[in-house]
Amino acid sequence: MAIYLDNAATSYPKPEAVYQAVEDYQRNIGVSPGRGAYQRAIQAEQLVFNTRRALGQLFNISDLSRIIFTANVTEALNLALKGLLGPEDHVITTSIEHNAVWRPLMHLKKERNIRVTRLANPEGCQLDVAELEEVLGPGAELVVVNHASNVTGAIMPLQEIGSLCQEYEVPLLFDSAQTAGVLPIDVEKAGISLLGFTGHKGLLGPTGTGGLYLAPEIELKPLKEGGTGSKSYLETQPEDLPDRYESGTPNTMGLAGLKAGVEYILDRGLDEIRARELQLTEMLLEKLNRLEGCEVYGPGSARERVAVVSFNLASIPAAEAAYVLDEVYDIMVRAGLHCAPVIHRELGLENRGSLRVSPGLFTEKEELDQLEKALEEILAR
Amino acid sequence: MLERVDITYISPCLAEPDKIRLKARLGKSIEEVLPYLNAVMEGASFNPAVPCITIRRDFRVLTLYPEELTMIKAENSTDAMQVIEWLKKQIRDIWERKDEITPDYTRSEKPHPLMIYKQLPGTNCGACGETNCMAFAFKLLGGEQEVDNCRPLKEGDYLESREMLNNLFVS
Ligand SMILES: Cc1ncc(COP(=O)(O)O)c(C=O)c1O
Ligand code: SF4
């Protein structure tokens, strides 16, 4: 049996209800939401709304019209950064950002001459909140923080960062790609101004889903204009949310699945999900630390990470190890820079990359045992 | 209490085309809740003869019947669905506390003439026999006119407004 350990890229398998919801929509509703005056179109629209409602419950968002659906968190982050930042603006960010943040920032550096201050994440771990306060002092237009590294798994202190941003009145854009559906995120309590989320990882939905929450005080330029199915007599983009940012036919099939994924999470509860993840992560760390020649990056304790562990096996190239794992053992893991070149550079791994193992909610302990055995054999070759 | 609300119809508001109006069917009758809503909700306008109650959520206006509701002036469909969620919660909360609430079965005070005026076509055409719409609004309040005497309201596409006025003045 194939063993899938790349849940940080996309979660697999999904809860049964997710497959059913997608099929049910495709077969029994199937029409475009809001684009027709018939019952079915209203049903499709209601389904999309119910997805917002489930997400609102998960993230404690009271105004559901401020949840904008996008194709993934990459689009959400692009919308946030490009819609918010103006010429010469100052942005504070971290060293664990994904290219979904880093590349738009580099683009805006060229295009709008923005200034980017990057905080250090020593050893791929937590940033220093005192350092954040120091750079917030002189002022900034935006703070962008990845909740947890998709390389080292290190979790950032959401509450402390949020409180500081509120104190200095700088909006906080939070990338929850690796944490939504696993760690509690309460936008109001944490003081998050913009929350990017992706549907296909911890939220257990299909690919092609994600979104951005905008706090009431946040005003953005849309990334695209087009048909919204509403106010069609207007030649210009409508101003009301979420329509202002949701041009084009939405991924209703995906959103039907996302709704089922989020409802599954609400039903099981974040505590139980996180406990399961912790168990697997602890077990994985223990196994890797036992292996001679295995170098693990990031926090030593599972409590400081999400279920993402990157490492290298002696001097064996990561890509080669991943190839053997797949070819010989039918175990799927990721090798390379994982779209996060900055943190790899900080770890001195820019030329090497790393092997990444990320168990998911449905990973069995026996599967980690098999991984351990395979890694032992590869090291002994 | 009210778990299911199925929207059956959505279209632009006639008076304000950048807002929407809708109709929805309720999963079960809320007739017995209406007097409790009347007792609790500020600015509610109750007519036991229909029966129906008109309530407001900021700029949106909802009319609840035992097995149906209408809403006008919602921002868009997301907004309207959010208002329906709000309404469900209001009804749930009120029904939970129903033993502490004294239901109010009385017909609400007459509304403000401006409120009436806003529902009229505003063309001052005189077809009702009055010099203008404002005069018609005052006469309606005084019981000296009938809603259906405003011909444009009856013949034009003013369904919601007409319904709302009828709800207020039916006895
Ligand atoms: C931290 C982080 N941000 C952003 C992304 C991009 O996610 P998506 O491809 O769904 O846009 C990922 C995952 O690939 C990630 O781990
Ligand atoms: S008939 Fe209607 S529109 Fe015409 S003046 Fe009377 S109230 Fe106004």
Side-chain angles (χ1 to χ4, degrees), chain A residues 8-9 72-75 77 98 100 146 148 150 175 177-178 198 200-201:
Chain A
N72 44 43
V73 76
T74 301
E75 189 187 341
L77 293 165
H98 188 273
N146 177 2
N150 61 318
D175 176 0
Q178 292 297 334
T198 208
H200 63 104
K201 300 184 198 259

Side-chain angles (χ1 to χ4, degrees), chain B residues 120-128 130 132-133 136 149-152:
Chain B
L120 296 172
T123 56
N124 302 323
C125 70
C128 54
E130 306 298 337
N132 54 45
C133 298
F136 181 72
N149 286 346
C150 170
R151 214 184 313 131

Side-chain angles (χ1 to χ4, degrees), chain A residues 40-61:
Chain A
R40 284 270 195 103
I42 296 174
Q43 256 182 303
E45 179 105 39
Q46 186 73 52
L47 180 62
V48 172
F49 176 82
N50 291 347
T51 312
R52 280 186 229 279
R53 192 179 56 185
L55 287 161
Q57 199 180 333
L58 183 66
F59 297 132
N60 190 28
I61 293 167

Side-chain angles (χ1 to χ4, degrees), chain A residues 39 45 64 231 240-241, chain B residues 8 18 76-77 81-82 85:
Chain A
Q39 276 296 295
E45 179 105 39
L64 302 178
K231 303 180 190 169
D240 53 299
L241 269 62
Chain B
T8 52
D18 63 334
N76 52 41
S77 53
M81 288 171 186
Q82 188 155 237
E85 291 303 313

Side-chain angles (χ1 to χ4, degrees), chain A residues 91-362:
Chain A
V91 180
I92 299 168
T93 189
T94 79
S95 298
I96 58 160
E97 297 311 307
H98 188 273
N99 271 341
V101 163
W102 202 247
R103 286 180 174 167
L105 284 181
M106 291 305 105
H107 170 79
L108 290 172
K109 210 167 158 177
K110 264 197 180 158
E111 190 188 82
R112 298 182 199 168
N113 204 22
I114 64 163
R115 188 158 61 86
V116 179
T117 300
R118 178 166 60 83
L119 301 170
N121 294 81
E123 312 282 321
C125 298
Q126 274 215 12
L127 52 81
D128 182 354
V129 180
E131 197 190 338
L132 171 61
E133 182 155 19
E134 218 166 276
V135 295
L136 269 173
E141 272 70 33
L142 185 68
V143 173
V144 191
V145 174
N146 177 2
H147 196 179
S149 167
N150 61 318
V151 177
T152 64
I155 300 168
M156 299 303 113
L158 167 57
Q159 197 57 51
E160 282 155 274
I161 294 170
S163 303
L164 264 186
C165 289
Q166 279 190 318
E167 191 182 320
Y168 286 86
E169 294 180 7
V170 178
L172 169 64
L173 166 59
F174 213 62
D175 176 0
S176 71
Q178 292 297 334
T179 56
V182 178
L183 298 180
I185 298 173
D186 179 324
V187 293
E188 302 215 345
K189 204 166 115 214
I192 295 173
S193 307
L194 304 101
L195 176 71
F197 59 88
T198 208
H200 63 104
K201 300 184 198 259
L203 294 177
L204 306 175
T207 51
T209 57
L212 180 68
Y213 159 72
L214 301 176
E217 71 276 10
I218 297 295
E219 167 69 31
L220 289 183
K221 281 201 283 289
L223 204 55
K224 54 195 181 187
E225 288 81 26
T228 53
S230 61
K231 303 180 190 169
S232 300
Y233 62 91
L234 282 179
E235 289 191 42
T236 53
Q237 193 70 7
E239 296 285 319
D240 53 299
L241 269 62
D243 298 18
R244 184 175 186 206
Y245 304 104
E246 290 187 351
S247 292
T249 303
N251 177 10
T252 318
M253 164 178 74
L255 293 174
L258 178 57
K259 168 177 170 285
V262 176
E263 283 172 352
Y264 177 91
I265 292 161
L266 291 169
D267 204 42
R268 254 187 99 163
L270 289 178
D271 286 348
E272 193 191 314
I273 291 172
R274 173 64 177 155
R276 172 81 193 151
E277 199 188 82
L278 261 180
Q279 241 182 0
L280 292 167
T281 311
E282 259 162 24
M283 196 175 161
L284 180 60
L285 281 174
E286 238 172 67
K287 287 183 188 308
L288 293 174
N289 287 330
R290 265 206 306 267
L291 285 177
E292 204 162 326
C294 175
E295 191 185 358
V296 178
Y297 309 109
S301 137
R303 298 206 163 271
E304 291 165 48
R305 336 172 147 240
V306 289
V308 175
V309 183
S310 292
F311 56 95
N312 269 302
L313 296 174
S315 58
I316 304 169
E320 194 180 309
Y323 175 76
V324 176
L325 279 172
D326 184 40
E327 196 59 23
V328 180
Y329 301 95
D330 212 358
I331 299 177
M332 292 170 260
V333 304
R334 184 81 164 250
L337 299 179
H338 320 305
C339 299
V342 179
I343 191 61
H344 275 95
R345 197 165 66 225
E346 297 264 295
L347 291 168
L349 297 169
E350 65 268 41
N351 298 320
R352 242 188 121 183
S354 60
L355 262 185
R356 182 180 78 182
V357 172
S358 49
L361 197 48
F362 302 110

Side-chain angles (χ1 to χ4, degrees), chain A residues 15-82:
Chain A
E16 193 51 37
V18 173
Y19 301 124
Q20 278 167 11
V22 172
E23 178 167 353
D24 182 52
Y25 165 76
Q26 281 293 71
R27 284 190 193 283
N28 302 323
I29 303 180
V31 305
S32 183
R35 262 74 170 170
Y38 39 88
Q39 276 296 295
R40 284 270 195 103
I42 296 174
Q43 256 182 303
E45 179 105 39
Q46 186 73 52
L47 180 62
V48 172
F49 176 82
N50 291 347
T51 312
R52 280 186 229 279
R53 192 179 56 185
L55 287 161
Q57 199 180 333
L58 183 66
F59 297 132
N60 190 28
I61 293 167
S62 47
D63 186 352
L64 302 178
S65 70
R66 306 199 67 90
I67 297 175
I68 316 298
F69 285 130
T70 59
N72 44 43
V73 76
T74 301
E75 189 187 341
L77 293 165
N78 269 269
L79 166 61
L81 294 168
K82 292 173 182 168

